[in-house]
Amino acid sequence: MKIVIVGGGAGGLELATRLGNKLGRKGKAEVLLIDRNHTHIWKPLLHEVASGSLDADVDAVTYRVHGHKNGFDFELGALTGVDRERKTIQLSALMDEDGREVLPPRERSYDTLVLAIGSVSNDFNVSGVSNHCIFLDSPQQAHRFHRRLVDGFISLNQAISSGNTDQKLRVAIIGGGATGVELSAELYKAREWFATYGLTAMTPDHLDVTLIEAGPRLLPALSEHISKGAGEELEKLGVRVMVDTAVVSASAEGLQTKDGEAIEADLMVWAAGVKAPDFLRNIEGLETNRINQLIVEPTLQVKGDPAIFALGDCAGFQLDGADGKQRWVPPRAQSAHQMASTVARNIIASTRNAELAEFRYRDLGSLVSLSEYTAFGRLMGGLARGGINLEGKLARLAYVSLYRMHLAAIHGWPRTLLLALTEQINHFVRPRFKLH
């Protein structure tokens, strides 16, 4: 039996690890993980890579090494199509930085296919966004933002030192969800660290961050109390928070809002929504929803093809709301983790001709961290069924524990604890911030 998993994000890597240990090591199946990157970084931490508070080169998991240790194979590649009749997938050619072909276009066969390719930013076809805004969908994009941020701080510090004290680094972030809110706070912490490491001319007043949300409040997935608290903390840092503000275009100079206001910016980040990749709509015979997610059965098999499973952000799973309205499982890391567990059980069950389990989504709440300043969250049951509000250090501890749980799912708890210890040691022997 050949199991092919496309996408090494939170769900895909956890699934490959579990199936590799349960089936691959024992010779019961060939498990192949395919991803366009060599390494894995937990996507909810990409805003920290962008700001420099997390060094992806240190914290990333190398797929090939991890596969060797956990009984699965890895191949570098990007999915371009699926031939369901022949049970093959098509991968695009792999090119190096100079445009030379490293690997040609190729096909890989499967008995069971798992699509875990995640999501990409949804720019809603707003004019100029794709050309002038940076997305945070991948480590490469986060690194691009970080390089521009570093260059911006260095240039700004020189200008201030030369007497241009009114000059500022202007950053506009579109989208008041977790990514936008967390990145806003991280930028002020980044300025602090740059000042610590020698760029002393800059003050908080020289960083101008604008956070723009089209809806009536920040963090719509959380309670109004938490939304208000997060907004107040950001404003204390110096963030200009704009709600009920729709962006209609972007240019090299900045943004234009629906109300006619021009927002000048040196750096612009689009974090206003996600969708599954567009090519999923072109897989013949499979149904997708309005954001390109593949509609799945309760077993997480793709509707219309029992040989294909989908999980995470690219899977469309409908929930029955308490008010009778249909809702989709939200594109969060916790969703991918829960789906990966169900798909693993079902694939293992299929090797034994056993009955497949149905997916049950549990909303474990949401957490948002404002860098090292503070954190907010709501645990146990989400908004509809009450829950526990957390703020401050307790919320920050809960936030960090989510990442530890992800590491435990792929490494096991003994190694995760060693990694946590190593991280604490690195605070003494390495810079606290990535400066280049």
Side-chain angles (χ1 to χ4, degrees):
M1 180 179 183
K2 188 167 186 178
I3 304 166
V4 175
I5 304 164
V6 183
L13 183 57
E14 289 182 18
L15 176 63
T17 302
R18 186 174 301 188
L19 294 180
N21 285 310
K22 293 289 186 179
L23 301 177
R25 283 185 182 280
K26 300 175 182 178
K28 295 181 179 179
E30 296 178 44
V31 182
L32 173 64
L33 175 65
I34 298 172
D35 195 273
R36 64 174 67 238
N37 299 303
H38 291 277
T39 60
H40 161 84
I41 192 76
W42 200 44
K43 193 172 182 179
L45 294 181
L46 285 180
H47 69 281
E48 294 189 17
V49 177
S51 69
S53 59
L54 180 72
D55 189 342
D57 294 333
V58 174
D59 291 88
V61 177
T62 303
Y63 289 122
R64 204 173 297 278
V65 174
H66 190 72
H68 172 72
K69 293 179 179 179
N70 291 276
F72 67 86
D73 295 319
F74 171 73
E75 182 171 353
L76 201 63
L79 181 69
T80 58
V82 178
D83 188 330
R84 298 194 297 121
E85 185 175 344
R86 295 172 51 230
K87 283 194 169 184
T88 61
I89 60 172
Q90 289 79 47
L91 304 177
S92 64
L94 178 66
M95 315 299 287
D96 67 12
E97 293 180 354
D98 298 319
R100 293 174 297 195
E101 185 176 273
V102 178
L103 291 173
R106 56 215 184 277
E107 286 190 342
R108 292 292 179 263
S109 61
Y110 65 86
D111 295 306
T112 297
L113 174 65
V114 182
L115 297 177
I117 56 178
S119 60
V120 296
S121 293
N122 190 349
D123 64 9
F124 304 101
N125 296 317
V126 175
S127 175
V129 167
S130 60
N131 294 325
H132 300 289
C133 294
I134 297 176
F135 303 133
L136 294 182
D137 298 326
S138 68
Q140 290 85 354
Q141 292 171 335
H143 283 306
R144 179 188 172 207
F145 178 87
H146 180 65
R147 287 193 299 269
R148 291 188 59 184
L149 181 68
V150 171
D151 291 344
F153 276 140
I154 292 173
S155 177
L156 175 64
N157 193 75
Q158 176 61 33
I160 297 170
S161 300
S162 301
N164 298 324
T165 56
D166 292 334
Q167 190 163 329
K168 296 183 178 183
L169 179 63
R170 302 162 302 177
V171 183
I173 302 170
I174 306 95
T179 298
V181 168
E182 291 176 332
L183 179 60
S184 297
E186 286 287 347
L187 293 176
Y188 282 89
K189 178 56 66 173
R191 190 215 60 81
E192 288 184 20
W193 281 115
F194 269 92
T196 300
Y197 290 124
L199 301 185
T200 55
M202 296 184 301
T203 70
D205 291 335
H206 291 116
L207 178 61
D208 183 4
V209 177
T210 303
L211 179 59
I212 306 161
E213 167 58 37
R217 62 184 179 90
L218 301 179
L219 302 171
L222 295 173
S223 68
E224 290 192 25
H225 169 74
I226 292 175
S227 173
K228 182 180 178 182
E232 290 174 349
E233 289 295 327
L234 290 178
E235 288 175 342
K236 287 178 184 177
L237 290 175
V239 179
R240 179 190 180 194
V241 177
M242 302 176 66
V243 296
D244 287 318
T245 304
V247 171
V248 296
S249 67
S251 67
E253 290 73 35
L255 304 167
Q256 192 75 25
T257 72
K258 188 176 181 179
D259 297 331
E261 181 177 355
I263 301 172
E264 296 182 345
D266 305 301
L267 273 172
M268 293 172 282
V269 178
W270 186 271
V274 298
K275 64 179 180 179
D278 291 336
F279 75 85
L280 291 179
R281 293 180 300 183
N282 301 323
I283 302 177
E284 187 176 352
L286 300 186
E287 184 181 349
T288 57
N289 62 14
R290 64 180 181 83
I291 59 170
N292 305 331
Q293 291 176 315
L294 293 165
I295 307 301
V296 295
E297 304 284 2
T299 57
L300 297 183
Q301 291 165 302
V302 171
K303 190 174 181 180
D305 195 332
I308 303 177
F309 291 83
L311 63 85
D313 292 2
C314 72
F317 187 96
Q318 283 195 325
L319 297 169
D320 291 320
D323 55 4
K325 295 181 180 179
Q326 290 287 339
R327 293 182 175 86
W328 300 95
V329 170
R332 299 178 186 170
Q334 63 171 291
S335 307
H337 168 74
Q338 293 177 38
M339 286 181 169
S341 297
T342 298
V343 172
R345 288 196 300 271
N346 283 344
I347 290 178
I348 293 170
S350 68
T351 65
R352 304 168 180 164
N353 294 319
E355 184 178 356
L356 303 189
E358 294 188 355
F359 176 63
R360 294 284 184 270
Y361 174 67
R362 293 179 58 221
D363 187 348
L364 303 178
S366 299
L367 291 161
V368 59
S369 174
L370 305 188
S371 188
E372 297 177 1
Y373 301 110
T374 188
F376 298 89
R378 191 175 185 87
L379 297 182
M380 299 174 61
L383 299 177
R385 292 177 289 168
I388 301 173
N389 286 334
L390 299 178
E391 295 184 22
K393 292 183 179 180
L394 189 58
R396 177 66 184 172
L397 179 63
Y399 182 87
V400 172
S401 72
L402 294 179
Y403 181 47
R404 302 292 182 219
M405 290 172 65
H406 169 63
L407 292 178
I410 58 178
H411 294 306
W413 277 110
R415 190 173 180 205
T416 297
L417 294 175
L418 286 175
L419 288 171
L421 177 61
T422 301
E423 182 180 303
Q424 294 303 311
I425 294 173
N426 280 337
H427 282 174
F428 294 98
V429 299
R430 292 175 56 86
R432 292 290 303 275
F433 192 83
K434 186 173 173 62
L435 301 169
H436 54 81

